[in-house]
């Protein structure tokens, strides 16, 4: 796949790249050192200058490049007024759970003026992954959408009112909104291609709250990789990508340079009841010829792509079905064939009563919440991994997370009249090497909605998906155990379900949450504890000495 002809272009750059290992013998594993100075930087977009949190002053942030087998040592120094942590999204973190990054799950935050060294290896993964802040809404400015308001103020206001947060003002391609926004024409991403060449585009949905359709006018894309796993290549004009997912596509430029420019466009796929940022970010695909650096493009006709209607769930489900593992001899799909533990989780919205000191504004003194199996997760005051490692879970978490919904109902039909959820810090404990089957079922409480669920520490195989309620008798025989896609983030279909399998072969505490940040804030999250195995190599090593304290 990595031919010398490929040009690498990145559409959202705050990424973590993993180059395929060519031969283990010839390429010594190396340690690559990076320093992330987290600091404020003034950035101007849409005629507004805003001081935002950045890494090394860059928006989008810097790129990390590694080769399979390498060790990454990244020193993160916090120079801003907020607590901070960084997550290496999709990295397996084999026996390095202390470096995973979600605040209050695997570490206490790095406080102002402090630093922490993330130290981990990249094993058995190749393609595009990314990194982002993993606390409150700080990942917004490191890359992703553009908000005129301060995103920390936006989420704080929403948590106080108990209502939906304000929506973003623009989507961006590599931090650039493009000409469909006011005062933004000069901030347009341009992809200049040479006739006849093939380009690899690394797509990352870094938006906070919106799944996106992506397309380039008059050009077919070939999907070759998803979440750092090779897929059976397939052609498409439109890519669907949820927050948290990455997709590598090949773009072949025409042999004869056309006398035209082509719009690159992305806008949301949205299914939920709340309003969303329904704007379109655009960039331009332009052809270079060999003689001049660029064709004169002032009067070139401009072609625009056609994107599906914003709520096209039929397209979404069809697209997701096409994404299959390459599953060949060199890159096999190691789908667990037997199941030790089965779980059925409902995911969706609900309400919670306002606590006494809150002035929340939902109906009957309630706030909007989100839950998994009716439990809205409450962030602990100390990191779960530390509490687990030190055997000090008392007062921090309980291990009674329900394996099944407490009440059975028609999940995608008329919701129950009582839409109250409960809150708690509950986890599931799994013995080392358990093979797990997990069905995630959307509910229609408040409104059916597609939820991109992200699991830390593992890739899972998406063995099935469907509309309506999962049928434990009729659906499992149809599961694909041959070449299902393996990834770290799965879109639970709006008003439907998705079935996942994974092998719990990595001891630690692993967060699972909706990657729509608004739903995470409302509690659509939980954690798995994977116990140590018996063998010396199957135990989580002790924490590094600089692990932040709460
Ligand atoms: C951003 O601009 C403001 C106003 O010009 C200035 O006071 C502030 O120091 C700048 N901040 C940074 C981080 O450059
Ligand atoms: C990173 O971890 C490795 C393996 O535990 C260790 O040898 C190395 O000293 C660590 N590096 C830093 C900078 O902490
Ligand atoms: C959210 O939007 C409302 C209505 O436009 C506005 O009054 C409020 O200030 C905004 N909140 C933030 C934090 O920007
Ligand atoms: C651009 O500005 C005009 C005039 O201020 C306003 O009517 C329009 O809604 C704005 N468009 C966008 C996309 O914000
Ligand atoms: C682009 O596609 C449109 C619609 O299919 C077609 O009319 C147009 O001729 C194409 N333009 C180029 C330069 O290929
Ligand atoms: C979103 O924008 C598209 C056009 O870009 C429009 O057709 C659609 O109705 C809008 N949807 C909503 C919910 O505003
Ligand atoms: C332009 O470059 C391509 C590949 O680099 C080559 O095949 C082609 O012959 C060149 N065309 C001209 C007109 O020089
Ligand atoms: C999508 O939105 C349109 C326009 O609001 C609506 O008529 C249609 O019923 C919606 N489709 C689905 C599948 O929700
Ligand atoms: C609020 O409570 C009243 C009385 O219990 C009930 O009749 C009403 O339906 C409730 N409203 C909502 C939106 O739940
Ligand atoms: C659940 O509700 C949907 C929508 O109202 C309905 O079509 C379906 O038949 C119901 N399923 C069951 C098992 O009652
Ligand atoms: C969720 O928990 C609340 C609080 O215990 C309860 O009132 C409600 O019936 C439960 N709902 C479901 C669907 O399990
Ligand atoms: C930062 O984190 C520490 C440890 O959890 C906490 O005590 C402190 O209140 C937090 N500070 C801010 C500004 O959130
Ligand atoms: Cu969600």
């Amino acid at each position: 796949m990595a031919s010398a002809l490929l040009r690498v272009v990145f559409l959202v750059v705050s990424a973590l790249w993993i180059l395929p290992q060519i031969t283990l013998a010839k390429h010594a594993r190396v340690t690559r050192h990076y320093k992330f100075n987290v600091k404020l930087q003034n950035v101007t977009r849409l005629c507004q200058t805003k001081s935002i949190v950045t890494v090394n002053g860059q928006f989008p942030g810097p790129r990390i490049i590694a080769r399979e087998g390498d060790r990454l040592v990244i020193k993160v120094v916090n120079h801003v007024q907020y607590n901070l942590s960084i997550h290496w999204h999709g990295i397996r973190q084999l026996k390095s759970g202390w470096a995973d990054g979600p605040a209050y799950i695997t570490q206490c935050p790095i406080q102002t003026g402090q630093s922490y060294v993330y130290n981990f290896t990249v094993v058995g993964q190749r393609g595009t992954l990314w990194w982002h802040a993993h606390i409150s809404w700080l990942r917004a400015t490191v890359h992703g959408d553009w908000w005129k308001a301060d995103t920390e103020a936006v989420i704080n206001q929403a948590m106080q009112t108990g209502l939906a947060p304000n929506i973003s003002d623009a989507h961006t391609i590599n931090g650039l909104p493009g000409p469909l926004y006011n005062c933004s024409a000069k901030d347009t991403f341009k992809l200049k291609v040479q006739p006849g060449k093939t380009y690899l585009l690394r797509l990352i949905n870094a938006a906070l709250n919106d799944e996106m359709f992506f397309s380039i006018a008059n050009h077919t894309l070939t999907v070759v990789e998803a979440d750092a796993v090779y897929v059976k290549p397939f052609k498409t004009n439109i890519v669907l990508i949820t927050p948290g997912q990455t997709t590598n596509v090949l773009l072949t430029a025409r042999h004869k340079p056309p006398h035209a420019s082509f719009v690159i466009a992305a806008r949301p796929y949205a299914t939920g009841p709340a309003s969303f940022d329904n704007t379109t970010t655009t960039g331009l695909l332009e052809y270079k010829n060999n003689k001049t650096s660029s064709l004169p493009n002032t009067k070139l006709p401009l072609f625009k792509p056609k994107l599906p209607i914003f709520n096209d769930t039929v397209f979404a489900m069809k697209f997701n079905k096409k994404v299959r593992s390459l599953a060949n001899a060199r890159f096999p799909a190691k789908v667990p064939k037997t199941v030790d533990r089965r779980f059925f989780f409902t995911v969706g919205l609900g309400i919670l009563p306002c606590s006494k000191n809150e002035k929340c504004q939902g109906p009957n003194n309630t706030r909007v919440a989100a839950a998994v199996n009716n439990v809205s997760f409450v962030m602990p005051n100390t990191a779960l991994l530390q509490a687990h490692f030190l055997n000090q879970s008392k007062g921090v978490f309980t291990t009674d997370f329900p394996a099944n919904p407490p009440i059975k109902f028609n999940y995608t039909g008329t919701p129950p009249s009582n839409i109250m959820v409960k809150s708690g810090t509950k986890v599931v404990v799994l013995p080392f090497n358990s093979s797990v089957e997990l069905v995630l079922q959307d509910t229609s409480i408040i409104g059916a909605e597609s939820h991109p669920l992200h699991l830390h520490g593992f890739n899972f195989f998406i063995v099935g998906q469907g509309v309506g309620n999962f049928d434990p008798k009729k659906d499992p025989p149809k599961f694909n155990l041959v070449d299902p896609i393996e990834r770290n983030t799965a879109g639970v279909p709006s008003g439907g379900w998705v079935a996942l399998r994974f092998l719990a072969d990595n001891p630690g505490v692993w967060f699972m949450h909706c990657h729509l940040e608004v739903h995470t804030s409302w509690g659509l999250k939980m954690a798995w504890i994977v116990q140590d195995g018996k063998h010396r190599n199957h135990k989580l090593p002790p924490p590094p000495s600089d692990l932040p304290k709460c």
Side-chain angles (χ1 to χ4, degrees):
M1 204 132 305
S3 115
L5 277 179
L6 297 187
R7 291 291 175 87
V8 177
V9 172
F10 31 91
L11 285 193
V12 176
V13 279
S14 301
L16 200 145
W17 295 10
I18 300 158
L19 306 180
Q21 170 115 28
I22 298 165
T23 35
L24 267 165
K26 282 188 190 155
H27 290 261
R29 296 171 180 197
V30 300
T31 299
R32 297 171 191 261
H33 294 265
Y34 287 86
K35 188 161 179 196
F36 277 22
N37 278 310
V38 179
K39 58 181 189 181
L40 294 177
Q41 180 72 34
N42 284 333
V43 177
T44 304
R45 293 290 184 276
L46 314 178
C47 282
Q48 176 206 19
T49 299
K50 206 182 132 187
S51 171
I52 61 172
V53 178
T54 64
V55 169
N56 301 344
Q58 289 170 249
F59 173 75
R63 187 169 80 224
I64 287 177
I65 301 186
R67 200 168 274 282
E68 252 183 280
D70 286 353
R71 176 173 293 280
L72 287 170
V73 174
I74 304 149
K75 181 170 184 179
V76 176
V77 190
N78 183 358
H79 301 284
V80 298
Q81 72 270 38
Y82 306 107
N83 281 338
L84 183 85
S85 74
I86 304 276
H87 170 51
W88 317 94
H89 183 116
I91 289 282
R92 285 287 324 268
Q93 298 293 3
L94 290 162
K95 290 193 291 165
S96 56
W98 303 108
D100 191 40
Y104 301 107
I105 306 296
T106 61
Q107 67 166 96
C108 294
I110 307 167
Q111 297 184 35
T112 306
Q114 297 183 355
S115 66
Y116 179 46
V117 176
Y118 291 88
N119 182 352
F120 56 90
T121 54
V122 182
V123 180
Q125 298 185 282
R126 53 206 76 77
T128 305
L129 295 171
W130 62 305
W131 55 263
H132 59 78
H134 210 308
I135 184 165
S136 190
W137 276 25
L138 279 186
R139 80 177 174 85
T141 58
V142 187
H143 26 27
D145 358 31
W146 185 259
W147 299 67
K148 289 189 172 165
D150 171 1
T151 44
E152 289 304 291
V154 170
I155 185 57
N156 288 341
Q157 182 183 51
M159 295 317 277
Q160 269 158 28
T161 60
L163 302 176
N166 290 357
I167 60 174
S168 55
D169 297 287
H171 302 295
T172 65
I173 299 176
N174 277 357
L176 303 169
L180 298 189
Y181 299 90
N182 282 341
C183 200
S184 180
K186 66 177 191 340
D187 292 323
T188 301
F189 172 74
K190 285 192 181 156
L191 177 57
K192 298 219 160 111
V193 297
Q194 279 184 13
K197 296 213 163 154
T198 297
Y199 295 77
L200 178 68
L201 311 187
R202 299 171 182 269
L203 308 178
I204 298 165
N205 185 339
L208 273 190
N209 293 320
D210 294 299
E211 303 190 21
M212 304 291 269
F213 293 120
F214 173 92
S215 187
I216 303 179
N218 296 70
H219 287 75
T220 299
L221 305 169
T222 305
V223 177
V224 293
E225 182 244 288
D227 294 5
V229 172
Y230 291 146
V231 308
K232 283 196 175 71
F234 70 93
K235 289 190 187 324
T236 184
N237 293 325
I238 297 151
V239 171
L240 172 65
I241 182 164
T242 78
Q245 292 183 333
T246 60
T247 307
N248 279 5
V249 300
L250 298 180
L251 165 75
T252 299
R254 292 185 187 177
H255 282 277
K256 208 168 151 264
H259 192 68
S261 289
F262 304 93
V263 171
I264 304 171
R267 87 167 143 71
Y269 161 55
T271 50
S275 65
F276 61 98
D277 177 355
N278 191 23
T279 61
T280 306
T281 178
T282 57
L284 279 181
L285 172 69
E286 294 177 348
Y287 277 77
K288 294 192 270 197
N289 66 17
N290 301 12
K291 291 187 189 99
T292 60
S293 61
S294 175
L295 290 170
N297 62 1
T298 40
K299 284 188 197 80
L300 285 184
L302 195 61
F303 292 92
K304 295 176 188 160
K306 244 186 113 165
L307 292 167
I309 181 168
F310 69 93
N311 58 358
D312 196 342
T313 293
V314 172
F315 176 93
M317 292 192 70
K318 265 197 204 146
F319 180 85
N320 287 336
K321 248 186 199 150
K322 284 192 238 171
V323 188
R324 308 235 166 171
S325 287
L326 188 56
N328 64 13
R330 192 163 166 218
F331 300 105
K334 294 182 185 157
V335 193
K337 292 287 169 10
T338 57
V339 174
D340 301 321
R341 301 283 302 270
R342 281 201 161 77
F343 298 90
F344 181 78
F345 289 179
T346 55
V347 295
L349 306 182
I351 53 173
L352 275 171
C354 297
S355 60
K356 275 205 192 99
N357 50 3
E358 281 174 336
K359 290 192 202 89
C360 57
Q361 294 161 15
N364 289 348
N365 214 20
T366 61
R367 53 164 48 257
V368 187
V372 183
N373 272 352
N374 207 37
V375 182
S376 185
F377 189 87
V378 176
M379 275 306 201
N381 295 322
T382 189
L384 296 183
L385 185 56
Q386 264 165 309
H388 163 66
F389 189 82
L390 300 172
N391 255 320
Q392 292 170 352
S393 61
K394 208 164 171 244
V396 183
F397 64 85
T398 55
T399 56
D400 57 346
F401 190 90
N404 291 287
I407 298 176
K408 277 191 186 153
F409 58 100
N410 185 345
Y411 306 112
T412 54
T414 310
S417 54
N418 173 10
I419 60 167
M420 204 62 89
V421 297
K422 55 166 141 293
S423 46
T425 309
K426 298 175 185 295
V427 305
V428 173
V429 177
L430 295 169
F432 180 77
N433 248 358
S434 317
S435 114
V436 175
E437 184 175 288
L438 168 65
V439 175
L440 297 166
Q441 170 76 58
D442 183 33
T443 77
S444 54
I445 294 175
I446 301 186
E449 180 163 10
S450 171
H451 297 278
L453 265 286
H454 171 51
L455 176 63
H456 289 228
F458 302 94
N459 282 338
F460 45 68
F461 292 89
I462 305 181
V463 296
Q465 61 161 3
V467 290
N469 297 333
F470 173 71
D471 184 328
K473 286 204 178 66
K474 286 191 189 140
D475 290 319
K478 288 180 256 167
F479 284 174
N480 173 10
L481 303 180
V482 178
D483 65 351
I485 187 59
E486 177 187 347
R487 58 190 324 166
N488 62 58
T489 305
V492 179
S494 178
W497 56 271
V498 67
L500 317 174
R501 281 194 186 180
F502 66 96
L503 184 66
D505 59 355
N506 192 14
V509 177
W510 304 109
F511 205 19
M512 190 174 84
H513 60 94
C514 183
H515 222 282
L516 303 182
E517 214 55 45
V518 50
H519 294 171
T520 307
S521 302
W522 285 341
L524 211 166
K525 50 195 172 188
M526 55 80 68
W528 306 83
I529 290 187
V530 178
Q531 293 172 322
D532 280 348
K534 288 209 175 68
H535 192 274
R536 201 166 46 86
N537 281 342
H538 298 158
K539 295 189 196 301
L540 178 71
S545 56
D546 62 340
L547 185 74
K549 293 187 175 59
C550 282

